[in-house]
């Protein structure tokens, strides 16, 4: 018997690394594969999930390769002059102008949460996407601290990128009842996040937001704790991982179209392999498929 909220889909962020997840989710849509009870996205992962929940193949790919590569979005020159390094507000507005979302599909699909970090506490909050908050929550989840200077405020708080406090919200999915969790990562499986190299600089740049600076200082510990949960889930819980291969070359700020296309193709292939594995084509079962690709 199926248990309500038993199956969850988690999509990590990672800025331009999100091109991999966009490929995975496009492969899912091509196969009409949506077996989940709810989904949680973080930063670029939330943007990718929005296209998936709305059943709009190719949307996330176009947003990343055609809009996120523009100087209107990413501008070191603007940042040096005191502006934002990345203009999340422009990206959201332009994406919805050029690739509009059918919100009817979004709000009649599975529940979808966007992860944000509360600037007052440095802790993760999870906002269920609704007609009332979709713009605010989707901008906030990707509002990188330092790079986006003014944290968006809504629902009684101000927020920054969800990846600061909870980059891979598998524990939150478990807390909400999921016992079959699929995670799309932005790094290969062997990745471990290193500690921040210059914490003093982070503290200086985030002087107005000390709790965010503290969360950034502990980000690697929290990230690696999520990886440990994935590798050793609680009894009765299955965690399935879809991760880029070791040769995945896309970085957080990669703007090269060729590299992005290669990353997208890797994601498409990984998504197809995941579906094939679940169908038993590779001789894998639910019991030994925790790290299916």
């Amino acid at each position: 018997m199926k248990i309500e909220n038993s199956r969850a889909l988690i999509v990590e962020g990672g800025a331009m690394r999100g091109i991999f997840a966009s490929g995975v989710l496009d492969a899912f849509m091509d196969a009409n594969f949506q077996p989940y009870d709810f989904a949680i996205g973080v930063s670029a992962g939330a943007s990718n999930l929005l296209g998936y929940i709305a059943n709009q193949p190719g949307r996330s790919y176009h947003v990343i390769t055609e809009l996120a590569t523009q100087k209107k979005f990413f501008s070191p020159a603007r940042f040096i002059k005191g502006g934002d390094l990345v203009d999340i507000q422009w990206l959201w507005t332009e994406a919805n102008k050029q690739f509009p979302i059918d919100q009817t599909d979004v709000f009649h699909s599975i529940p979808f949460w966007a992860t944000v970090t509360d600037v007052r506490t440095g802790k993760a909050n999870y906002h269920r996407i609704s007609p009332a908050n979709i713009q605010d929550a989707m901008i906030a989840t990707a509002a990188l601290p330092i790079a986006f200077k003014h944290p968006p405020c809504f629902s009684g708080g101000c927020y920054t990128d969800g990846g600061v406090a909870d980059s891979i919200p598998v524990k939150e999915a478990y807390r909400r009842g999921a016992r079959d969790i699929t995670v799309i990562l932005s790094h290969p499986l062997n990745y471990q996040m290193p500690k921040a190299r210059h914490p003093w600089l982070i503290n200086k740049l985030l002087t107005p937001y000390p709790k965010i600076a503290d969360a950034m200082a502990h980000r690697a510990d929290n990230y690696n704790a999520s990886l440990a949960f994935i590798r050793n889930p609680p009894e009765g819980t299955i965690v399935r991982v879809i991760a880029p291969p070791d040769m995945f070359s896309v970085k957080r700020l990669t703007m090269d179209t060729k590299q992005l296309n290669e990353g997208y193709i890797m994601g498409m292939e990984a998504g197809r392999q995941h579906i094939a594995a679940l169908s038993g084509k590779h001789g894998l079962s639910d019991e030994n498929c925790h790290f299916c690709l």
Side-chain angles (χ1 to χ4, degrees):
M1 182 179 68
K2 183 180 182 296
I3 301 174
E4 186 178 3
N5 284 347
S6 64
R7 304 189 73 178
L9 175 62
I10 308 299
V11 185
E12 184 186 0
M16 304 304 275
R17 287 181 178 276
I19 194 68
F20 176 80
S22 76
V24 174
L25 294 173
D26 276 358
F28 283 9
M29 284 185 274
D30 286 349
N32 195 29
F33 182 76
Q34 194 187 87
Y36 309 106
D37 297 310
F38 67 94
I40 307 176
V42 184
S43 192
S47 179
N48 278 323
L49 267 176
L50 184 62
Y52 175 65
I53 299 296
N55 194 31
Q56 291 185 224
R59 182 184 190 272
S60 295
Y61 168 82
H62 291 299
V63 170
I64 293 170
T65 60
E66 297 174 22
L67 299 182
T69 54
Q70 291 191 29
K71 292 182 179 179
K72 290 182 179 179
F73 172 64
F74 174 68
S75 175
R78 181 177 60 216
F79 186 65
I80 291 171
K81 295 176 183 178
D84 294 319
L85 179 63
V86 291
D87 190 339
I88 305 297
Q89 177 72 58
W90 175 85
L91 185 64
W92 170 260
T93 302
E94 196 64 21
N96 284 285
K97 183 187 302 180
Q98 295 193 31
F99 313 107
I101 282 286
D102 187 333
Q103 294 197 9
T104 301
D105 286 343
V106 171
F107 301 123
H108 285 82
S109 185
I110 62 172
F112 162 37
W113 278 266
T115 306
V116 299
T117 303
D118 191 319
V119 300
R120 296 169 301 181
T121 65
K123 304 296 184 182
N125 285 4
Y126 308 89
H127 289 271
R128 181 171 176 178
I129 298 301
S130 70
N133 72 8
I134 183 169
Q135 175 170 316
D136 291 328
M138 293 300 295
I139 291 173
T141 188
L144 292 164
I146 302 173
F148 194 68
K149 295 184 181 296
H150 303 289
C153 300
F154 67 102
S155 297
C158 297
Y159 307 98
T160 191
D161 191 299
V164 172
D166 194 1
S167 295
I168 316 172
V170 285
K171 294 180 183 179
E172 178 64 16
Y174 181 83
R175 188 188 71 80
R176 291 178 181 272
R179 297 299 181 265
D180 187 334
I181 304 170
T182 298
V183 183
I184 305 177
L185 296 177
S186 298
H187 291 277
L189 275 176
N190 59 7
Y191 178 75
Q192 286 282 117
M193 181 175 285
K195 292 185 180 295
R197 293 182 182 179
H198 306 293
W200 63 270
L201 180 59
I202 293 174
N203 288 335
K204 183 176 181 179
L205 292 172
L206 290 171
T207 298
Y209 309 107
K211 292 296 184 180
I212 295 301
D214 185 60
M216 291 287 285
H218 293 91
R219 184 169 179 244
D221 293 335
N222 292 334
Y223 187 96
N224 294 333
S226 294
L227 292 178
F229 181 98
I230 289 169
R231 294 183 177 116
N232 296 284
E235 184 176 355
T237 301
I238 291 175
V239 179
R240 313 171 195 275
V241 176
I242 308 173
D246 290 343
M247 72 283 292
F248 184 66
S249 63
V250 179
K251 307 300 181 187
R252 178 173 290 275
L253 297 177
T254 294
M255 298 292 161
D256 181 74
T257 303
K258 181 180 178 181
Q259 281 183 283
L260 293 172
N261 283 332
E262 289 173 352
Y264 174 77
I265 292 169
M266 289 177 186
M268 286 281 288
E269 181 59 25
R272 294 182 186 121
Q273 287 184 11
H274 180 77
I275 295 170
L278 292 180
S279 70
K281 290 183 180 180
H282 298 321
L284 297 171
S285 67
D286 284 350
E287 287 71 32
N288 62 11
C289 194
H290 294 189
F291 293 95
C292 285
L293 297 183

